[in-house]
């Protein structure tokens, strides 16, 4: 049997494979189920035990040689088109390009509108301490927003939590800089909410802050009207009295959305008005807590949910879409950035 193997090795080495037919012939002769190699492996079973080792080794050498020859022939006989054979009219395979996420698009647009009037972007950490999220913003110790029901605390470090709003960045910026301060602060926030079409445990906000000498409520109103007109193309706003611990007076800003369509009636509950953000004059306690003299400076702040703005702009009815990354949802936003 060893002789036979030697012979076949020789034969394989001398075989020339020039085209695909010859390659296939070679495969049938040596490597197929009914080929020579399988025959030899069958015969191997009858080889006396004391010769098994030597014969087995040679058999493997043969098998490898046959395989190498065949694989080599495959590479060599692949059809390679010459330039004259290319058909340039055949459409190419489609390349799927990604798209920007609608939340990124909305955030960018909001930021750009404020940048045009002299605001710039500031950011802060998502894992925060109590001071920057609550105490520095004039939240009394027993305020319900501090409750475990709403806030994710870091179990091992009870003074640390996932920020529940981007207002925490205000405090950091006021600690770092003296006025004039004119910033917008986009970012992710966290609240202990069950996930539904209207709520999520993680979402995005953008906060604004303007502090200087003699900044008034009228300045706030004009700035926010400018934003609403630039972003939504809507002409009218109204400010409703509200309450936030860090602003005094505080207000909620409504946009006049109109009642032109059935959808307008539905989303405005028949009133034509839609609430889009909270705002107010920064409470003197908040300024003082961060080292800014409330006798000399005043300012306004505002905050809005980016998902809510995106849902209004693109008529998206379920918050969960933003976080599922379904390409059927994301694809239409291609080209909007
Ligand atoms: N921090 C508030 C929230 O999470 C939003 C907000 C309201 C921010 C009024 C402000 C503001 O800066 O003035 O609901």
């Amino acid at each position: 049997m060893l002789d036979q193997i030697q012979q076949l090795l020789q034969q394989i080495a001398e075989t020339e494979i020039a085209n695909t037919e010859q390659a296939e012939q070679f495969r049938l002769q040596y490597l197929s189920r009914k080929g020579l190699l399988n025959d030899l492996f069958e015969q191997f079973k009858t080889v006396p035990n004391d010769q098994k080792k030597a014969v087995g080794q040679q058999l493997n050498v043969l098998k490898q040689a046959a395989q190498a020859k065949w694989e080599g022939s495959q590479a060599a006989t692949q059809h390679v088109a010459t330039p004259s054979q290319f058909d340039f009219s055949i459409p190419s395979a489609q390349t799927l390009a990604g798209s920007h996420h609608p939340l990124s698009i909305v955030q960018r647009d909001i930021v750009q509108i404020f940048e045009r009037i002299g605001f710039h972007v500031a950011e802060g950490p998502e894992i925060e301490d109590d001071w920057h999220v609550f105490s520095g913003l004039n939240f009394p110790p027993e305020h319900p927003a501090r409750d475990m029901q709403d806030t994710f605390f870091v179990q091992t470090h009870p003074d640390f939590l996932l920020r529940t709003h981007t207002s925490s960045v205000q405090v950091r910026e006021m600690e770092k800089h003296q006025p004039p301060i004119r910033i917008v602060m986009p970012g992710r926030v966290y609240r202990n909410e069950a996930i539904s079409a209207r709520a999520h445990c993680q979402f995005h906000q953008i906060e604004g802050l303007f502090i200087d000498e003699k900044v008034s409520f009228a300045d706030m109103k004009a700035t926010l009207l400018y934003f609403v007109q630039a972003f939504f193309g809507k002409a009218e706003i109204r400010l409703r009295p509200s309450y936030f611990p860090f602003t005094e007076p505080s207000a909620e800003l409504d946009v006049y959305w109109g009642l032109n369509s059935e959808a307008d009636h539905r989303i405005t509950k028949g009133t034509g008005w839609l609430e889009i953000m909270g705002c107010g004059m920064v409470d003197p306690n908040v300024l003082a807590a961060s080292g800014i003299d409330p006798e000399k400076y005043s300012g306004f702040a505002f905050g809005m949910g980016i998902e809510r703005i995106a849902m209004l702009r693109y008529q998206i009815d379920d918050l969960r879409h933003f976080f599922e990354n379904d390409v059927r949802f994301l694809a239409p936003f291609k080209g909007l950035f």
Side-chain angles (χ1 to χ4, degrees):
M1 195 166 166
L2 281 173
D3 284 348
Q4 202 186 348
I5 294 174
Q6 276 321 110
Q7 247 180 15
L8 287 172
L9 270 172
Q10 181 83 20
Q11 210 173 299
I12 288 173
E14 286 166 7
T15 307
E16 300 258 338
I17 302 179
N19 53 42
T20 45
E21 288 84 53
Q22 287 172 359
E24 181 59 7
Q25 223 172 8
F26 180 88
R27 192 187 66 79
L28 288 171
Q29 190 182 352
Y30 290 96
L31 295 165
S32 65
R33 213 152 48 81
K34 293 189 176 147
L36 282 168
L37 269 164
N38 259 2
D39 277 355
L40 286 173
F41 275 101
E42 274 303 307
Q43 285 176 39
F44 179 71
K45 292 176 187 160
T46 64
V47 169
N49 274 347
D50 60 340
Q51 292 172 31
K52 269 213 154 86
K53 188 169 174 213
V55 176
Q57 270 172 357
Q58 283 309 100
L59 207 49
N60 275 326
V61 171
L62 179 67
K63 186 177 166 194
Q64 276 164 15
Q67 261 168 352
K69 184 93 189 180
W70 186 75
E71 277 160 21
S73 78
Q74 287 308 100
T77 57
Q78 288 295 340
H79 179 72
V80 178
T82 55
S84 65
Q85 290 171 298
F86 285 130
D87 180 349
F88 293 105
S89 68
I90 295 173
S92 63
Q94 224 188 355
T95 316
L96 287 177
S99 53
H100 283 278
H101 195 279
L103 295 177
S104 307
I105 298 173
V106 168
Q107 178 178 313
R108 179 220 45 184
D109 289 353
I110 297 174
V111 165
Q112 279 184 354
I113 288 169
F114 282 103
E115 278 177 343
R116 270 186 248 151
I117 53 170
F119 284 73
H120 60 262
V121 173
E123 283 176 328
E126 292 176 21
I127 302 173
E128 260 295 8
D129 51 29
D130 175 277
W131 171 258
H132 291 95
V133 179
F134 296 128
S135 301
L137 287 163
N138 204 32
F139 278 82
E142 70 287 358
H143 194 283
R146 292 168 175 256
D147 201 307
M148 302 263 285
Q149 302 299 315
D150 297 304
T151 308
F152 290 117
F153 288 92
V154 178
Q155 250 172 14
T156 47
H157 296 79
D159 190 49
F160 286 89
L161 46 111
L162 297 180
R163 66 181 179 194
T164 55
H165 55 181
T166 43
S167 305
S168 54
V169 190
Q170 280 190 28
V171 180
R172 288 197 172 267
E173 290 297 309
M174 288 190 285
E175 287 169 341
K176 275 191 284 189
H177 306 288
Q178 283 296 306
I181 296 175
R182 213 180 300 158
I183 45 178
V184 278
M185 297 151 274
R188 212 183 280 261
V189 300
Y190 302 85
R191 284 184 202 175
N192 191 3
E193 302 252 13
I195 296 172
S196 72
R198 311 250 128 241
H200 209 284
C201 54
Q202 161 226 265
F203 54 102
H204 299 78
Q205 287 186 334
I206 185 162
E207 181 87 9
L209 180 70
F210 181 20
I211 301 176
D212 205 345
E213 289 178 35
K214 302 194 180 73
V215 175
S216 70
F217 197 87
D219 293 328
M220 178 180 89
K221 191 174 172 192
T223 305
L224 297 178
L225 176 62
Y226 154 79
F227 164 72
V228 165
Q229 291 179 341
F231 187 87
F232 290 109
K234 304 281 184 187
E236 221 184 317
I237 60 170
R238 73 180 181 193
L239 291 163
R240 271 182 299 106
S242 184
Y243 174 77
F244 300 102
F246 36 92
T247 43
E248 182 58 39
S250 304
E252 224 117 23
L253 184 144
D254 297 344
V255 175
Y256 189 68
W257 202 255
L259 285 170
N260 299 317
S261 67
E262 203 227 313
D264 290 350
H265 278 268
R266 184 164 33 82
I267 60 174
T268 68
K269 300 197 175 77
T271 66
W273 291 95
L274 262 184
E275 185 227 309
I276 61 157
M277 68 170 91
C279 56
M281 300 306 290
V282 180
D283 193 302
N285 287 341
V286 172
L287 295 175
S290 296
I292 291 178
D293 181 0
E295 299 296 327
K296 185 166 177 205
Y297 296 108
S298 58
F300 63 81
F302 53 91
M304 60 192 133
I306 296 180
E307 280 80 1
R308 176 163 170 77
I309 304 290
M311 285 168 91
L312 289 172
R313 182 194 243 190
Y314 300 122
Q315 297 180 12
I316 295 164
D317 58 4
D318 191 324
L319 188 57
R320 288 167 291 197
H321 287 311
F322 291 122
F323 305 111
E324 281 166 356
N325 281 332
D326 184 331
V327 287
R328 290 167 300 180
F329 169 74
L330 296 173
F333 297 99
K334 214 175 283 185
L336 288 182
F337 203 76

